[in-house]
Amino acid sequence: MTDRIVLRRPDDWHAHLRDGDMLATVAPFTARQFARAIVMPNLVPPVTTAEAAHAYAARIRKAAGPGFEPLMTCYLTDASDPDAIERGYKEGAWVAAKLYPAHATTNSAHGVTDVGKIAPVLERMQRIGMKFLVHGEVTDKHVDIFDREAAFIDRTLARLVRDFPGLKIVFEHITTKEAADFVAAAPANVAATITPHHLMIDRNAIFEGGIRPHLYCLPIAKRSHHRTALRKAAVSGSPKFFLGTDTAPHAVHAKEAACGCAGIFNAPVALEAYARVFDEENALEKLEGFASLFGPAFYGLPPNEARIALVRANATAPERVPGPAGDIVTYLGGQALGWRIEAA
Ligand code: DOR
Ligand code: ZN
């Protein structure tokens, strides 16, 4: 049995770091585990301009401390302008742009109502090599919530992949066998991130003994066989699948409510959770590729030089983290983690 593994320091290719006092609370948790993070732009108001992205990056650096690099993203709207997107990319304001279908999830009201409207933007991104990050769910309320990701592939993503063959696309936080199969079969310019929670829970977990608001996120966890397919993809060694936690903190009152927010705060325990999954799959030797190599390769960045060690240990996840508007409940809070991170 392997009790200690050394990895290049990993990065988080999908994180919600929020802003203001919440940013100050949560950013150190991400920075403790990861050298870089792709930062989601769904603030209020969303990050749509290069100026806003530069200013947000500076606030993140201050909150996270030295040694952490935020990789910024631009929130796409129906009005996004190809010239402004390119300018922001060239001046280093952002490395990618994010598609939120309008009303798909938290703070997505300004999102894109019809991908046809951003075709000129996608054309430009394809030309300059800027990454396109996709929240892949249809927003049609007539489609069952558990089918919205698969429907998005059929109605939208398959066509985008066909129409923009040179566009580097990340299908974010995939939750279904359909998505894993689609990405595996797609050309090399299409990749996916997978969260720790979607590797661990299925939809039963959300209703175990009562409703569990802290396991509610979007896309929602699916049936068990989808989790099995995601695990298989994560440990496959394919460079198309890499780490993206989708850590998405909300104060406890916003989660435990008549209409609770979607999002799971996993930043304090994400890497340990991935290690547990890879260990259960007898694939610890595949963790470094997934966590530390395939993401940088897809983004055209060097992997980190620093190393960390994951050590088998009796560590327990913190139940809650005190935040500015009340506690934030931690994913796996109070549970045995099985692993601890050490400097290597
Ligand atoms: O569960 C989620 N929470 N899914 C998202 O897409 C957004 C995120 C958030 O910002 O809270
Ligand atoms: Zn997200």
Side-chain angles (χ1 to χ4, degrees):
M1 193 160 74
T2 312
D3 290 329
R4 186 173 191 272
I5 54 167
V6 175
L7 314 176
R8 279 181 189 263
R9 191 164 170 76
D11 305 298
D12 185 351
W13 300 96
H14 185 124
H16 298 269
L17 296 182
R18 311 306 192 206
D19 209 350
D21 293 341
M22 186 65 135
L23 167 65
T25 298
V26 302
F29 289 99
T30 292
R32 183 182 75 89
Q33 299 217 331
F34 302 106
R36 299 170 285 200
I38 284 280
V39 180
M40 289 298 123
N42 61 332
L43 303 182
V44 184
V47 179
T48 55
T49 65
E51 294 67 36
H54 281 303
Y56 185 30
R59 296 196 295 278
I60 293 169
R61 285 204 165 86
K62 183 153 174 264
F68 177 76
E69 195 186 347
L71 303 170
M72 309 308 291
T73 61
C74 167
Y75 182 114
L76 294 173
T77 71
D78 287 354
S80 291
D81 168 33
D83 293 336
I85 302 255
E86 177 171 359
R87 224 177 303 121
Y89 182 68
K90 298 237 157 107
E91 71 180 44
W94 44 50
V95 302
K98 174 77 188 250
L99 168 66
Y100 285 106
H103 305 292
T105 187
T106 310
N107 300 335
S108 62
H110 301 277
V112 174
T113 60
D114 171 1
V115 290
K117 297 198 170 147
I118 57 165
V121 169
L122 298 182
E123 198 73 58
R124 186 70 63 90
M125 288 169 58
Q126 171 172 255
R127 173 141 34 99
I128 63 179
M130 185 171 161
K131 282 60 181 181
F132 178 50
L133 315 183
V134 179
H135 182 109
E137 288 191 285
V138 297
T139 53
D140 180 346
K141 297 292 176 259
H142 297 107
V143 176
D144 189 278
I145 187 169
F146 296 99
D147 297 332
R148 286 180 194 163
E149 183 174 281
F152 182 85
I153 298 170
D154 294 342
R155 293 187 188 180
T156 305
L157 190 59
R159 185 159 37 86
L160 287 176
V161 169
R162 243 189 347 263
D163 291 351
F164 300 94
L167 183 62
K168 284 200 144 190
I169 302 175
V170 184
F171 192 175
E172 299 283 16
H173 43 54
I174 59 167
T175 62
T176 57
K177 179 174 189 310
E178 287 85 344
D181 289 348
F182 178 83
V183 170
N189 57 306
V190 181
T193 52
I194 311 182
T195 76
H197 42 282
H198 289 111
L199 291 170
M200 295 173 101
I201 63 166
D202 62 25
R203 66 189 199 177
N204 275 347
I206 308 167
F207 305 102
E208 201 179 317
I211 191 152
R212 305 272 177 178
H214 300 289
L215 295 181
Y216 172 58
C217 65
L218 289 171
I220 197 163
K222 309 296 194 293
R223 285 178 184 274
S224 170
H225 76 271
H226 295 290
R227 178 188 49 182
T228 305
L230 298 174
R231 281 180 167 241
K232 203 165 147 237
V235 305
S236 67
S238 163
K240 290 168 154 285
F241 300 101
F242 49 82
L243 185 159
T245 66
D246 200 14
T247 183
H250 294 277
V252 64
H253 69 82
K255 296 284 296 171
E256 297 176 8
C259 187
C261 294
I264 293 179
F265 178 51
N266 60 29
V269 298
L271 196 57
E272 295 91 333
Y274 284 116
R276 194 158 113 188
V277 169
F278 277 65
D279 188 26
E280 285 164 6
E281 296 291 323
N282 289 315
L284 278 173
E285 78 286 357
K286 297 285 173 50
L287 183 59
E288 186 178 37
F290 178 82
S292 315
L293 301 176
F294 302 154
F298 190 83
Y299 277 83
L301 295 167
N304 299 306
E305 281 307 325
R307 271 34 179 201
I308 57 141
L310 277 160
V311 183
R312 209 178 283 279
N314 282 327
T316 305
E319 303 243 6
R320 287 159 179 252
V321 168
D327 288 351
I328 311 160
V329 173
T330 310
Y331 178 57
L332 301 179
Q335 296 185 38
L337 286 175
W339 293 91
R340 195 181 57 236
I341 303 172
E342 280 179 2

